[in-house]
Amino acid sequence: MPQPNPSTRTAPTRLAILSYSSAEFDARTQRIARSAVEAGWQVTVYARSEPGLPALVEADGYRIVRVPTDINLAIPGLRWRGRRRLAARRMAQGAGPSTAAEQRAAPRPPKGLVGRLPKALRGTILSPFLRGLKTGTYRLLARRHWMVVFPLRPIAWAVALEEAVEPADLWHGMWAGSLPALGRLRHKHGGRTIYDSRDIYLHSREFDKMDRVRRTLLQRIERRWAGATDAVITVNDAYADILARTLRVARPAVVMNCPARWTRPDPPPDRIRAALGLPATTAITLYQGNLITERGIEQAMDAIVEVPGSALVLLGYGSLRETLASRAEQPPYAGCVFVLPPVPPSELLEWTASSDVMVMAIQPTTLNHRFTTPQKLFEALAAGVPVVASDLPGMADIVKATRAGVVCDPTSPASIAAAIREVLQQPASDLAAMRERARRAADETYNWDRQATALFAVYAGVLGRPAD
């Protein structure tokens, strides 16, 4: 792990990580924060506020500060309203306004756009124009419009952060949602900025299905913001090539999303069967992570019905969690599909190691998915768990090279089922060898120790310091 040189530094480097999430399950952010703390840095993680989560957490030598936001902050003429809403929300929760801007906004009675005009202009044509602008803006913000997802929500969070953060030497932004904040915070507080593009954002999910005109517009926005940062990094070589082309930046450095080296306990953990009351003879097929569409969860549920003696366990969080839990109680899934709540990243490898095979049948629906190397793939390797993965360029190359699993057609439940059976029904000696190949791949190549070295080399270059 990189270490500071006391003879040349009089104060710790201040690292601010902008996690465009609640940071509760953001393992990459947590790994980076711990590594920087070990190197003697002062670290703060700024995250998005979520109901039920504390605004401030002290963890492993760094802070997580969750900053509330309001979509009105994205619109210059409506920011006063956003600040007032945030102040009112805090007052309702028994706390005062958290920023000077909120304190200024809280006491004022609402005036509206027309009420904020000089008296001499209130009876002119500007009044109905502003009323129409206000109505149209609220109609836009009330829907899940593509502009709300990006760039308006990220801009709103950037404005909220600008009023809440402390100065830093280095701003490390996660996902495209952090891009507007990187520029605003550097402008206000100085420091250097890094854009951590953990996916090909504008070729993911709904964005990949957009018409060319809209996506081109958003790509120009992302390109302008990304081009203003001091460095771009990403999580695999395919993404680096694509981002260099689409963002028109130097090829990003690759810092893979791998866990730290991990020693499997002896005897091995059995947390999943214990939590569900399943017998030792039940083979556990695990999906862990975000429970959302296009991850092959529905296909895996259909597949497990065709694998006698096996149960599919969905361990995670996300928008589909309640729907999947309800479906798991109905035929033909009852008794062979189970949903468990998410666990902290610090416990995830033990839960992963309690399974017999990890399934990640990510669907080939977007450019982002075709080249993805999800974190759960490397967690399976670290835990010594064979994988069943989509036969897509990103994952398949690693699975085939390590010989730590089987690839399948993710759109076909029959193909997924056949791959699960191929792993589970092989001779015990072959299964043990597959597990050992997975662990060896993690120990030698796919581990955070190696990736942290690459990350701190980027940090040193951005800060203009020699790498430690």
Side-chain angles (χ1 to χ4, degrees), residues 228-437:
T229 63
D230 295 294
V232 179
I233 64 175
T234 190
V235 297
N236 65 46
D237 285 310
Y239 281 6
D241 292 335
I242 295 169
L243 289 168
R245 182 175 68 253
T246 58
L247 298 182
R248 298 176 188 170
V249 296
R251 189 179 188 275
V254 172
V255 180
M256 301 186 81
N257 211 3
C258 303
R261 290 187 177 96
W262 187 72
T263 302
R264 183 184 175 98
D266 187 17
D270 198 16
R271 302 187 71 163
I272 294 175
R273 275 177 282 258
L276 295 172
L278 296 175
T281 54
T282 302
I284 301 297
T285 299
L286 176 66
Y287 172 93
Q288 53 97 330
N290 208 349
L291 303 176
I292 56 176
T293 59
E294 301 182 8
R295 298 300 177 94
I297 300 171
E298 299 89 341
Q299 290 81 358
M301 291 175 66
D302 289 337
I304 206 66
V305 177
E306 303 177 26
V307 185
S310 182
L312 173 67
V313 176
L314 308 177
L315 177 73
Y317 57 93
S319 58
L320 287 184
R321 190 174 188 280
E322 296 305 320
T323 299
L324 294 172
S326 176
R327 188 180 301 175
E329 297 175 352
Q330 307 298 321
Y333 310 117
C336 63
V337 177
F338 302 90
V339 180
L340 287 174
V343 299
S346 60
E347 299 179 20
L348 190 54
L349 289 182
E350 276 210 7
W351 286 85
T352 300
S354 301
S355 66
D356 298 288
V357 60
M358 178 95 89
V359 63
M360 48 200 82
I362 293 174
Q363 300 296 290
T365 49
T366 66
L367 180 69
N368 184 63
H369 278 174
R370 286 194 290 276
F371 291 99
T372 186
T373 49
Q375 180 174 268
K376 60 177 65 67
L377 171 60
F378 303 117
E379 289 163 342
L381 296 180
V385 176
V387 301
V388 166
S390 303
D391 192 3
L392 299 174
M395 292 185 290
D397 288 351
I398 294 174
V399 174
K400 292 174 182 177
T402 60
R403 298 168 54 224
V406 179
V407 297
C408 65
D409 175 359
T411 66
S412 167
S415 177
I416 299 169
I420 295 172
R421 290 195 300 267
E422 183 177 342
V423 171
L424 295 177
Q425 295 175 4
Q426 63 186 320
S429 59
D430 292 348
L431 181 57
M434 184 175 282
R435 287 183 174 277
E436 179 57 30
R437 289 194 294 270

Side-chain angles (χ1 to χ4, degrees), residues 381-382 398 402 404 436-447:
L381 296 180
I398 294 174
T402 60
E436 179 57 30
R437 289 194 294 270
R439 285 192 290 266
R440 187 166 59 248
D443 287 343
E444 296 176 357
T445 305
Y446 302 111
N447 60 77

Side-chain angles (χ1 to χ4, degrees), residues 194-272:
I194 290 178
Y195 171 32
D196 195 338
S197 184
R198 293 161 61 168
D199 52 20
I200 310 300
Y201 183 68
L202 293 178
H203 281 283
S204 66
R205 297 178 64 78
E206 64 264 31
F207 293 111
D208 199 60
K209 302 174 179 65
M210 278 184 175
D211 60 82
R212 181 175 295 184
V213 172
R214 287 188 295 169
R215 191 166 62 245
T216 298
L217 172 63
L218 296 186
Q219 283 176 329
R220 287 179 178 174
I221 296 173
E222 183 188 22
R223 185 182 304 135
R224 178 169 63 85
W225 282 337
T229 63
D230 295 294
V232 179
I233 64 175
T234 190
V235 297
N236 65 46
D237 285 310
Y239 281 6
D241 292 335
I242 295 169
L243 289 168
R245 182 175 68 253
T246 58
L247 298 182
R248 298 176 188 170
V249 296
R251 189 179 188 275
V254 172
V255 180
M256 301 186 81
N257 211 3
C258 303
R261 290 187 177 96
W262 187 72
T263 302
R264 183 184 175 98
D266 187 17
D270 198 16
R271 302 187 71 163
I272 294 175

Side-chain angles (χ1 to χ4, degrees), residues 114 141 189 191 217 277 345 416 448 459 464:
V114 173
L141 301 183
H189 295 293
L217 172 63
I416 299 169
W448 181 246
Y459 282 175

